[in-house]
Amino acid sequence: ITLLNDDFLKVESEKIKKLIKKDKVKVIANLPYYITTPIINKIMMEMPYIDEIIIMVQKEVAERICANPKTKKYNSLSVFCQTVSDVNYEFTVDKKYFNPIPKVDSAIISLKRREVDVDIHEFELFVQNCFKQKRKTLLNNLNSAYGWEKIEVENFLTMNNLTNKTRSEEISNVEFKDLFNKFKEYQK
């Protein structure tokens, strides 16, 4: 056993990779709830040798990660996680099983990495921008994030069978990946 006592968010991925003897690695963890998203993002963006993560997180976060389009919980984290991995909500862990009893329930989820044909750093930023202000339309979020004229954004949306009233939470992760690829082409 090799014990690495370090801040996971600060340690370089290569330092961890040097400790690993296999090509594919599974991580099983109870993540600190307040830094769940940064940890997932670091694993998915910087550690391709980690094949699967099985994690306990706050139930609300688990529901967001696993949420379907056109639901209140669907957001940029849902799109990103579901694009880069097969996501499963395994089960709920009631707060009564902890001592002391916390204020929230927990959940176990699994994320099994999948191959993607997009730059996940650029994709994640694009998705973040599309969800920047949840109450706004995709038109307004893209306009605000990229400084295009509204007519340019409207043309781009129309070319992709979307309207100026489309909201990001209506678009599936598969459609987002396609939209991102077309967005990159449109910018050229």
Side-chain angles (χ1 to χ4, degrees):
I1 293 175
T2 303
L3 180 62
L4 177 61
N5 183 16
D6 213 330
D7 181 334
F8 182 78
L9 293 176
K10 292 180 181 174
V11 70
E12 291 185 23
S13 301
E14 285 305 310
K15 185 174 181 181
I16 295 173
K17 174 67 174 153
K18 288 177 184 172
L19 300 174
I20 297 170
K21 307 293 184 228
K22 297 183 178 185
D23 290 339
K24 300 292 181 178
V25 175
K26 295 183 186 342
V27 170
I28 301 171
N30 177 9
L31 298 184
Y33 292 176
Y34 67 100
I35 55 171
T36 296
T37 300
I39 290 174
I40 291 172
N41 283 346
K42 180 168 182 156
I43 290 171
M44 291 304 177
M45 287 191 208
E46 298 177 19
M47 302 175 164
Y49 48 86
I50 295 178
D51 181 53
E52 183 175 11
I53 58 177
I54 301 163
I55 51 178
M56 181 158 57
V57 297
Q58 185 175 334
K59 183 181 178 191
E60 181 181 298
V61 174
E63 289 171 342
R64 271 190 253 139
I65 289 171
C66 300
N68 292 318
K70 301 178 184 172
T71 62
K72 283 185 175 185
K73 296 189 180 200
Y74 188 72
N75 64 13
S76 61
L77 184 60
S78 316
V79 173
F80 178 72
C81 288
Q82 292 174 30
T83 300
V84 300
S85 60
D86 295 318
V87 176
N88 286 305
Y89 187 104
E90 303 296 344
F91 56 89
T92 301
V93 181
D94 192 291
K95 60 187 169 196
K96 71 182 178 187
Y97 294 111
F98 294 89
N99 188 8
I101 297 174
K103 294 180 181 173
V104 296
D105 288 327
S106 299
I108 305 289
I109 60 171
S110 62
L111 294 89
K112 179 139 177 73
R113 187 182 298 276
R114 66 164 70 141
E115 293 294 321
V116 291
D117 56 354
V118 295
D119 179 309
I120 60 175
H121 295 90
E122 289 180 21
F123 177 75
E124 197 266 344
L125 179 60
F126 174 74
V127 172
Q128 286 280 339
N129 286 330
C130 290
F131 280 91
K132 194 66 114 187
Q133 295 185 43
K134 192 156 173 87
R135 307 296 300 160
K136 290 198 173 200
T137 62
L138 185 57
L139 168 76
N140 287 328
N141 280 332
L142 286 174
N143 176 259
S144 171
Y146 297 101
W148 292 357
E149 297 293 326
K150 278 204 174 185
I151 191 70
E152 283 183 283
V153 181
E154 286 174 350
N155 288 339
F156 173 72
L157 294 175
T158 301
M159 288 170 44
N160 290 286
N161 301 316
L162 300 169
T163 72
N164 58 0
K165 296 193 185 299
T166 301
R167 296 190 184 279
S168 296
E169 59 266 20
E170 299 170 23
I171 304 170
S172 75
N173 68 296
V174 173
E175 293 166 325
F176 255 115
K177 194 171 84 160
D178 186 47
L179 188 65
F180 170 70
N181 286 327
K182 290 177 179 173
F183 174 79
K184 284 179 58 176
E185 286 298 314
Y186 192 77
Q187 277 190 307
K188 290 181 180 177

